[in-house]
mmCIF file of all heavy atoms in Angstrom:
data_model
loop_
_atom_site.group_PDB
_atom_site.id
_atom_site.type_symbol
_atom_site.label_atom_id
_atom_site.label_comp_id
_atom_site.label_asym_id
_atom_site.label_seq_id
_atom_site.Cartn_x
_atom_site.Cartn_y
_atom_site.Cartn_z
ATOM 1 N N ILE A 1 0.850 -1.203 0.058
ATOM 2 C CA ILE A 1 0.020 0.078 0.004
ATOM 3 C C ILE A 1 0.822 1.255 0.093
ATOM 4 O O ILE A 1 0.413 2.323 -0.543
ATOM 5 C CB ILE A 1 -1.008 -0.026 1.184
ATOM 6 C CG1 ILE A 1 -2.062 1.078 0.984
ATOM 7 C CG2 ILE A 1 -0.287 0.157 2.545
ATOM 8 C CD1 ILE A 1 -3.249 1.033 1.905
ATOM 9 N N ASN A 2 2.120 1.186 0.555
ATOM 10 C CA ASN A 2 2.992 2.343 0.580
ATOM 11 C C ASN A 2 3.461 2.776 -0.832
ATOM 12 O O ASN A 2 3.916 3.822 -0.958
ATOM 13 C CB ASN A 2 4.098 2.095 1.500
ATOM 14 C CG ASN A 2 3.671 2.066 2.966
ATOM 15 O OD1 ASN A 2 2.637 2.514 3.267
ATOM 16 N ND2 ASN A 2 4.608 1.547 3.794
ATOM 17 N N ALA A 3 3.454 1.745 -1.824
ATOM 18 C CA ALA A 3 3.784 1.934 -3.142
ATOM 19 C C ALA A 3 2.790 2.431 -4.048
ATOM 20 O O ALA A 3 3.015 2.747 -5.235
ATOM 21 C CB ALA A 3 4.468 0.781 -3.713
ATOM 22 N N ILE A 4 1.538 2.429 -3.546
ATOM 23 C CA ILE A 4 0.411 2.871 -4.417
ATOM 24 C C ILE A 4 0.380 4.330 -4.599
ATOM 25 O O ILE A 4 0.607 5.163 -3.679
ATOM 26 C CB ILE A 4 -0.940 2.350 -3.821
ATOM 27 C CG1 ILE A 4 -1.007 0.690 -3.947
ATOM 28 C CG2 ILE A 4 -2.142 2.888 -4.464
ATOM 29 C CD1 ILE A 4 -2.097 0.172 -3.096
ATOM 30 N N ASP A 5 -0.022 4.820 -5.704
ATOM 31 C CA ASP A 5 -0.119 6.254 -6.020
ATOM 32 C C ASP A 5 -1.126 6.843 -5.120
ATOM 33 O O ASP A 5 -2.167 6.376 -4.790
ATOM 34 C CB ASP A 5 -0.696 6.453 -7.401
ATOM 35 C CG ASP A 5 -0.794 7.830 -8.028
ATOM 36 O OD1 ASP A 5 -0.963 8.763 -7.095
ATOM 37 O OD2 ASP A 5 -0.618 8.147 -9.178
ATOM 38 N N PRO A 6 -0.795 7.975 -4.408
ATOM 39 C CA PRO A 6 -1.681 8.696 -3.332
ATOM 40 C C PRO A 6 -2.950 8.930 -3.896
ATOM 41 O O PRO A 6 -3.962 8.938 -3.253
ATOM 42 C CB PRO A 6 -0.813 9.910 -3.008
ATOM 43 C CG PRO A 6 0.583 9.530 -3.265
ATOM 44 C CD PRO A 6 0.559 8.650 -4.410
ATOM 45 N N ALA A 7 -3.079 9.205 -5.234
ATOM 46 C CA ALA A 7 -4.354 9.521 -5.894
ATOM 47 C C ALA A 7 -5.306 8.314 -5.912
ATOM 48 O O ALA A 7 -6.439 8.390 -5.911
ATOM 49 C CB ALA A 7 -4.154 9.933 -7.314
ATOM 50 N N GLN A 8 -4.702 7.120 -5.700
ATOM 51 C CA GLN A 8 -5.513 5.903 -5.710
ATOM 52 C C GLN A 8 -5.606 5.245 -4.333
ATOM 53 O O GLN A 8 -6.518 4.340 -4.147
ATOM 54 C CB GLN A 8 -4.954 4.816 -6.645
ATOM 55 C CG GLN A 8 -4.909 5.230 -8.146
ATOM 56 C CD GLN A 8 -4.232 4.150 -9.057
ATOM 57 O OE1 GLN A 8 -2.968 3.952 -8.826
ATOM 58 N NE2 GLN A 8 -4.863 3.543 -9.868
ATOM 59 N N ARG A 9 -4.787 5.705 -3.427
ATOM 60 C CA ARG A 9 -4.675 5.061 -2.110
ATOM 61 C C ARG A 9 -5.921 5.171 -1.317
ATOM 62 O O ARG A 9 -6.290 4.381 -0.578
ATOM 63 C CB ARG A 9 -3.516 5.736 -1.353
ATOM 64 C CG ARG A 9 -3.092 4.887 -0.215
ATOM 65 C CD ARG A 9 -1.738 5.333 0.407
ATOM 66 N NE ARG A 9 -0.641 5.406 -0.507
ATOM 67 C CZ ARG A 9 0.445 5.996 -0.291
ATOM 68 N NH1 ARG A 9 0.682 6.624 0.874
ATOM 69 N NH2 ARG A 9 1.501 6.027 -1.176
ATOM 70 N N THR A 10 -6.657 6.268 -1.454
ATOM 71 C CA THR A 10 -7.932 6.469 -0.688
ATOM 72 C C THR A 10 -8.935 5.383 -0.978
ATOM 73 O O THR A 10 -9.451 4.831 -0.147
ATOM 74 C CB THR A 10 -8.561 7.794 -1.019
ATOM 75 O OG1 THR A 10 -7.598 8.775 -0.569
ATOM 76 C CG2 THR A 10 -9.872 7.949 -0.186
ATOM 77 N N ALA A 11 -9.141 5.101 -2.285
ATOM 78 C CA ALA A 11 -10.012 3.915 -2.678
ATOM 79 C C ALA A 11 -9.575 2.686 -2.135
ATOM 80 O O ALA A 11 -10.299 1.819 -1.702
ATOM 81 C CB ALA A 11 -10.162 3.974 -4.165
ATOM 82 N N VAL A 12 -8.220 2.348 -2.177
ATOM 83 C CA VAL A 12 -7.673 1.159 -1.784
ATOM 84 C C VAL A 12 -7.949 1.020 -0.261
ATOM 85 O O VAL A 12 -8.418 0.044 0.208
ATOM 86 C CB VAL A 12 -6.227 1.009 -2.109
ATOM 87 C CG1 VAL A 12 -5.646 -0.147 -1.451
ATOM 88 C CG2 VAL A 12 -5.932 1.003 -3.643
ATOM 89 N N GLN A 13 -7.707 2.096 0.399
ATOM 90 C CA GLN A 13 -7.806 2.095 1.954
ATOM 91 C C GLN A 13 -9.269 1.802 2.236
ATOM 92 O O GLN A 13 -9.591 1.149 3.344
ATOM 93 C CB GLN A 13 -7.258 3.329 2.573
ATOM 94 C CG GLN A 13 -7.203 3.170 4.047
ATOM 95 C CD GLN A 13 -6.291 2.223 4.588
ATOM 96 O OE1 GLN A 13 -5.187 2.168 4.206
ATOM 97 N NE2 GLN A 13 -6.744 1.259 5.379
ATOM 98 N N ALA A 14 -10.214 2.503 1.523
ATOM 99 C CA ALA A 14 -11.678 2.133 1.836
ATOM 100 C C ALA A 14 -12.000 0.710 1.636
ATOM 101 O O ALA A 14 -12.759 0.160 2.406
ATOM 102 C CB ALA A 14 -12.503 2.996 0.872
ATOM 103 N N MET A 15 -11.414 0.093 0.551
ATOM 104 C CA MET A 15 -11.633 -1.315 0.343
ATOM 105 C C MET A 15 -11.065 -2.192 1.519
ATOM 106 O O MET A 15 -11.710 -3.121 1.984
ATOM 107 C CB MET A 15 -11.038 -1.747 -0.980
ATOM 108 C CG MET A 15 -11.180 -3.241 -1.351
ATOM 109 S SD MET A 15 -9.860 -4.217 -0.738
ATOM 110 C CE MET A 15 -8.459 -3.559 -1.645
ATOM 111 N N LEU A 16 -9.900 -1.868 2.022
ATOM 112 C CA LEU A 16 -9.242 -2.580 3.004
ATOM 113 C C LEU A 16 -9.987 -2.430 4.328
ATOM 114 O O LEU A 16 -10.114 -3.335 5.161
ATOM 115 C CB LEU A 16 -7.838 -2.121 3.176
ATOM 116 C CG LEU A 16 -6.874 -2.531 2.008
ATOM 117 C CD1 LEU A 16 -5.535 -1.847 2.132
ATOM 118 C CD2 LEU A 16 -6.751 -3.925 1.811
ATOM 119 N N ASP A 17 -10.569 -1.185 4.627
ATOM 120 C CA ASP A 17 -11.311 -0.990 5.762
ATOM 121 C C ASP A 17 -12.588 -1.746 5.815
ATOM 122 O O ASP A 17 -13.047 -2.338 6.875
ATOM 123 C CB ASP A 17 -11.548 0.538 5.973
ATOM 124 C CG ASP A 17 -10.432 1.374 6.355
ATOM 125 O OD1 ASP A 17 -9.377 0.799 6.665
ATOM 126 O OD2 ASP A 17 -10.455 2.600 6.174
ATOM 127 N N ALA A 18 -13.176 -1.996 4.592
ATOM 128 C CA ALA A 18 -14.328 -2.832 4.550
ATOM 129 C C ALA A 18 -14.010 -4.237 4.747
ATOM 130 O O ALA A 18 -14.977 -4.814 5.311
ATOM 131 C CB ALA A 18 -14.894 -2.634 3.054
ATOM 132 N N GLU A 19 -12.802 -4.592 4.400
ATOM 133 C CA GLU A 19 -12.462 -6.016 4.715
ATOM 134 C C GLU A 19 -12.251 -6.225 6.234
ATOM 135 O O GLU A 19 -12.623 -7.249 6.720
ATOM 136 C CB GLU A 19 -11.124 -6.427 3.960
ATOM 137 C CG GLU A 19 -11.314 -6.594 2.421
ATOM 138 C CD GLU A 19 -12.474 -7.563 2.165
ATOM 139 O OE1 GLU A 19 -12.608 -8.689 2.768
ATOM 140 O OE2 GLU A 19 -13.274 -7.328 1.232
ATOM 141 N N LEU A 20 -11.743 -5.202 7.005
ATOM 142 C CA LEU A 20 -11.600 -5.402 8.390
ATOM 143 C C LEU A 20 -12.986 -5.469 8.975
ATOM 144 O O LEU A 20 -13.254 -6.231 9.968
ATOM 145 C CB LEU A 20 -10.880 -4.120 8.988
ATOM 146 C CG LEU A 20 -9.323 -4.116 8.631
ATOM 147 C CD1 LEU A 20 -8.697 -2.908 9.161
ATOM 148 C CD2 LEU A 20 -8.659 -5.324 9.048
ATOM 149 N N ARG A 21 -13.913 -4.590 8.521
ATOM 150 C CA ARG A 21 -15.342 -4.743 8.971
ATOM 151 C C ARG A 21 -15.944 -6.058 8.754
ATOM 152 O O ARG A 21 -16.707 -6.574 9.547
ATOM 153 C CB ARG A 21 -16.231 -3.566 8.401
ATOM 154 C CG ARG A 21 -15.744 -2.223 8.791
ATOM 155 C CD ARG A 21 -16.877 -1.204 8.485
ATOM 156 N NE ARG A 21 -16.932 -1.016 7.085
ATOM 157 C CZ ARG A 21 -16.278 -0.155 6.315
ATOM 158 N NH1 ARG A 21 -15.295 0.515 6.957
ATOM 159 N NH2 ARG A 21 -16.482 -0.086 5.116
ATOM 160 N N ARG A 22 -15.714 -6.606 7.521
ATOM 161 C CA ARG A 22 -16.129 -8.009 7.232
ATOM 162 C C ARG A 22 -15.554 -8.992 8.256
ATOM 163 O O ARG A 22 -16.335 -9.846 8.728
ATOM 164 C CB ARG A 22 -15.720 -8.359 5.810
ATOM 165 C CG ARG A 22 -16.216 -9.744 5.367
ATOM 166 C CD ARG A 22 -15.335 -10.397 4.263
ATOM 167 N NE ARG A 22 -15.216 -9.690 3.051
ATOM 168 C CZ ARG A 22 -15.955 -9.838 1.972
ATOM 169 N NH1 ARG A 22 -16.850 -10.703 1.849
ATOM 170 N NH2 ARG A 22 -15.668 -9.060 0.957
ATOM 171 N N GLN A 23 -14.309 -8.963 8.536
ATOM 172 C CA GLN A 23 -13.756 -9.814 9.488
ATOM 173 C C GLN A 23 -14.380 -9.818 10.825
ATOM 174 O O GLN A 23 -14.693 -10.851 11.450
ATOM 175 C CB GLN A 23 -12.212 -9.586 9.589
ATOM 176 C CG GLN A 23 -11.381 -9.910 8.343
ATOM 177 C CD GLN A 23 -9.945 -9.490 8.393
ATOM 178 O OE1 GLN A 23 -9.440 -9.397 9.439
ATOM 179 N NE2 GLN A 23 -9.455 -8.998 7.246
ATOM 180 N N GLU A 24 -14.607 -8.519 11.353
ATOM 181 C CA GLU A 24 -15.304 -8.458 12.654
ATOM 182 C C GLU A 24 -16.699 -9.025 12.661
ATOM 183 O O GLU A 24 -17.207 -9.615 13.489
ATOM 184 C CB GLU A 24 -15.197 -6.997 13.091
ATOM 185 C CG GLU A 24 -13.799 -6.500 13.508
ATOM 186 C CD GLU A 24 -13.172 -7.346 14.525
ATOM 187 O OE1 GLU A 24 -13.903 -7.721 15.476
ATOM 188 O OE2 GLU A 24 -11.978 -7.751 14.310
ATOM 189 N N ARG A 25 -17.472 -8.650 11.525
ATOM 190 C CA ARG A 25 -18.773 -9.093 11.462
ATOM 191 C C ARG A 25 -18.863 -10.699 11.435
ATOM 192 O O ARG A 25 -19.662 -11.321 12.159
ATOM 193 C CB ARG A 25 -19.453 -8.615 10.101
ATOM 194 C CG ARG A 25 -20.744 -9.175 9.762
ATOM 195 C CD ARG A 25 -21.382 -8.614 8.553
ATOM 196 N NE ARG A 25 -20.639 -8.504 7.305
ATOM 197 C CZ ARG A 25 -20.386 -9.471 6.512
ATOM 198 N NH1 ARG A 25 -21.077 -10.739 6.766
ATOM 199 N NH2 ARG A 25 -19.688 -9.450 5.443
ATOM 200 N N LEU A 26 -17.989 -11.467 10.644
ATOM 201 C CA LEU A 26 -17.942 -12.686 10.638
ATOM 202 C C LEU A 26 -17.419 -13.405 11.865
ATOM 203 O O LEU A 26 -17.889 -14.510 12.206
ATOM 204 C CB LEU A 26 -17.065 -13.279 9.327
ATOM 205 C CG LEU A 26 -17.742 -12.786 8.034
ATOM 206 C CD1 LEU A 26 -16.726 -13.236 6.849
ATOM 207 C CD2 LEU A 26 -19.094 -13.351 7.804
ATOM 208 N N LYS A 27 -16.545 -12.786 12.613
ATOM 209 C CA LYS A 27 -16.112 -13.206 13.821
ATOM 210 C C LYS A 27 -17.271 -13.308 14.865
ATOM 211 O O LYS A 27 -17.448 -14.272 15.600
ATOM 212 C CB LYS A 27 -14.980 -12.319 14.438
ATOM 213 C CG LYS A 27 -13.669 -12.524 13.700
ATOM 214 C CD LYS A 27 -12.545 -11.583 14.407
ATOM 215 C CE LYS A 27 -11.328 -11.593 13.660
ATOM 216 N NZ LYS A 27 -10.318 -10.687 14.203
ATOM 217 N N GLN A 28 -18.098 -12.269 14.823
ATOM 218 C CA GLN A 28 -19.250 -12.243 15.681
ATOM 219 C C GLN A 28 -20.145 -13.382 15.368
ATOM 220 O O GLN A 28 -20.850 -14.104 16.318
ATOM 221 C CB GLN A 28 -20.075 -10.971 15.485
ATOM 222 C CG GLN A 28 -19.408 -9.742 16.163
ATOM 223 C CD GLN A 28 -19.104 -9.931 17.596
ATOM 224 O OE1 GLN A 28 -19.947 -10.473 18.405
ATOM 225 N NE2 GLN A 28 -17.900 -9.493 18.109
ATOM 226 N N THR A 29 -20.345 -13.713 14.003
ATOM 227 C CA THR A 29 -21.110 -14.897 13.656
ATOM 228 C C THR A 29 -20.614 -16.160 14.241
ATOM 229 O O THR A 29 -21.379 -17.026 14.657
ATOM 230 C CB THR A 29 -21.131 -14.866 12.059
ATOM 231 O OG1 THR A 29 -21.773 -13.793 11.526
ATOM 232 C CG2 THR A 29 -22.047 -16.199 11.635
ATOM 233 N N LEU A 30 -19.285 -16.352 14.195
ATOM 234 C CA LEU A 30 -18.624 -17.542 14.684
ATOM 235 C C LEU A 30 -18.903 -17.591 16.207
ATOM 236 O O LEU A 30 -19.131 -18.623 16.880
ATOM 237 C CB LEU A 30 -17.154 -17.534 14.426
ATOM 238 C CG LEU A 30 -16.776 -17.757 12.879
ATOM 239 C CD1 LEU A 30 -15.342 -17.766 12.680
ATOM 240 C CD2 LEU A 30 -17.399 -19.079 12.347
ATOM 241 N N ARG A 31 -18.596 -16.498 16.883
ATOM 242 C CA ARG A 31 -18.804 -16.414 18.314
ATOM 243 C C ARG A 31 -20.149 -16.680 18.793
ATOM 244 O O ARG A 31 -20.322 -17.094 19.915
ATOM 245 C CB ARG A 31 -18.323 -15.054 18.842
ATOM 246 C CG ARG A 31 -16.797 -14.853 18.708
ATOM 247 C CD ARG A 31 -16.354 -13.414 19.059
ATOM 248 N NE ARG A 31 -14.990 -13.127 18.866
ATOM 249 C CZ ARG A 31 -14.594 -12.153 18.386
ATOM 250 N NH1 ARG A 31 -15.406 -10.997 18.008
ATOM 251 N NH2 ARG A 31 -13.298 -11.897 18.172
ATOM 252 N N SER A 32 -21.168 -16.452 18.034
ATOM 253 C CA SER A 32 -22.550 -16.565 18.283
ATOM 254 C C SER A 32 -23.004 -18.020 18.471
ATOM 255 O O SER A 32 -24.037 -18.465 18.975
ATOM 256 C CB SER A 32 -23.475 -15.931 17.474
ATOM 257 O OG SER A 32 -23.515 -16.543 16.140
#
């Protein structure tokens, strides 16, 4: 991610943040 053009990095970071949210949501499913 450090090598990605700053103009594109915001979109990439948004995608990665969505993946972290996915992980937390699915962990809650497993824990239930």
